[in-house]
């Protein structure tokens, strides 16, 4: 009946969304939303779920105000129907955090990411696919705020989770090594940074090939670090941290800075 139709409309909307066909997706989701509201009323988790997806379309379009309205209404419905501690709300909290991050509201973004992380961790445990991406976002904000010790601990947890989920020879594991390398680099611990980037490079080579951008990026980062080790004459003294390009001294060629996650 109508419940089945609403579900089908949502699935069609999801297909259009994944294909980047946002206008078609919006049409399907809005029909599903109206139909579900008529069937369930305004305060129902299924309505919240559809609002989350509608917010996602606005989010992709860069319409952050409309996206936030949808996300906040979804959170309100989840809280009123499932309670504030239910993991169903975590994905929407992550999206709200993402908008704050894009607007450079790092403290607000962190608040939502931490709450989403807590809900998923409490519901599923630490080693779950929904936990690591949020944890990585937390680590990224800590890095941007210069809180390197805490960021490093977070990225070590991300590495542990990725190894448990994917094994030790997977691009996601390489990404985690790269995040650790970035922290060492920012601390001017060049030898340690090179070691982490080397781990990432070896995995990228095996899983993506020599010419993949991730492989090239890791290789370039290692070349950059080696240049600065030679330039400064010490593994303890690091490069300037102004984010610019550096002249390598080899015929005036340029060596780009370390690739950030």
């Amino acid at each position: 009946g109508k419940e089945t139709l609403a579900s089908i409309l949502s699935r069609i909307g999801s297909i259009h969304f994944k294909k980047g066909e946002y206008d078609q997706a919006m049409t399907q989701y809005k029909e599903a939303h109206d139909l579900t509201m008529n069937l369930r009323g305004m305060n129902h988790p299924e309505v919240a779920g559809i609002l989350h997806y509608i917010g996602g379309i606005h989010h992709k379009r860069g319409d952050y105000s409309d996206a936030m309205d949808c996300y906040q209404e979804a959170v309100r419905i989840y809280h009123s129907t499932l309670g504030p501690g239910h993991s169903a709300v975590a994905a929407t909290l992550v999206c709200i955090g993402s908008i704050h991050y894009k607007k450079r509201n790092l403290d607000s973004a962190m608040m939502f990411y931490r709450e989403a992380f807590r809900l998923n961790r409490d519901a599923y445990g630490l080693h779950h696919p929904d936990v690591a991406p949020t944890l990585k976002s937390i680590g990224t904000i800590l890095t941007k705020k210069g809180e390197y010790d805490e960021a490093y601990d977070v990225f070590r947890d991300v590495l542990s989770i990725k190894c448990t989920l994917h094994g030790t020879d997977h691009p996601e594991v390489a990404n985690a090594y790269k995040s650790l390398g970035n922290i060492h680099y920012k601390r001017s611990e060049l030898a340690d940074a090179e070691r982490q980037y080397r781990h990432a490079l070896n995995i990228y080579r095996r899983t993506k090939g020599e010419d993949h951008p991730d492989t090239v990026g890791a290789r370039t980062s290692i070349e950059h670090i080696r240049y600065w080790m030679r330039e400064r004459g010490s593994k303890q003294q690091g490069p300037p941290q102004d984010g610019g390009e550096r002249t390598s001294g080899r015929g005036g060629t340029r060596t780009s800075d370390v690739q950030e996650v």
Side-chain angles (χ1 to χ4, degrees), residues 24-93:
Q24 296 94 320
M26 183 67 83
T27 298
Q28 301 298 323
Y29 279 132
K30 283 187 172 179
E31 288 187 26
H33 173 265
D34 293 344
L35 189 56
T36 304
M37 278 232 306
N38 288 334
L39 287 169
R40 307 289 196 189
M42 289 181 61
N43 265 4
H44 194 278
E46 289 180 16
V47 174
I50 297 170
L51 282 171
H52 170 89
Y53 292 124
I54 292 174
I57 295 173
H58 289 303
H59 197 154
K60 282 287 188 180
R61 288 171 167 170
D63 301 330
Y64 297 142
S65 179
D66 290 336
M68 189 69 84
D69 288 343
C70 290
Y71 291 148
Q72 289 175 336
E73 179 63 9
V75 169
R76 185 197 66 76
I77 295 171
Y78 280 133
H79 283 174
S80 67
T81 56
L82 301 176
H86 199 283
S87 61
V89 76
T92 308
L93 294 176

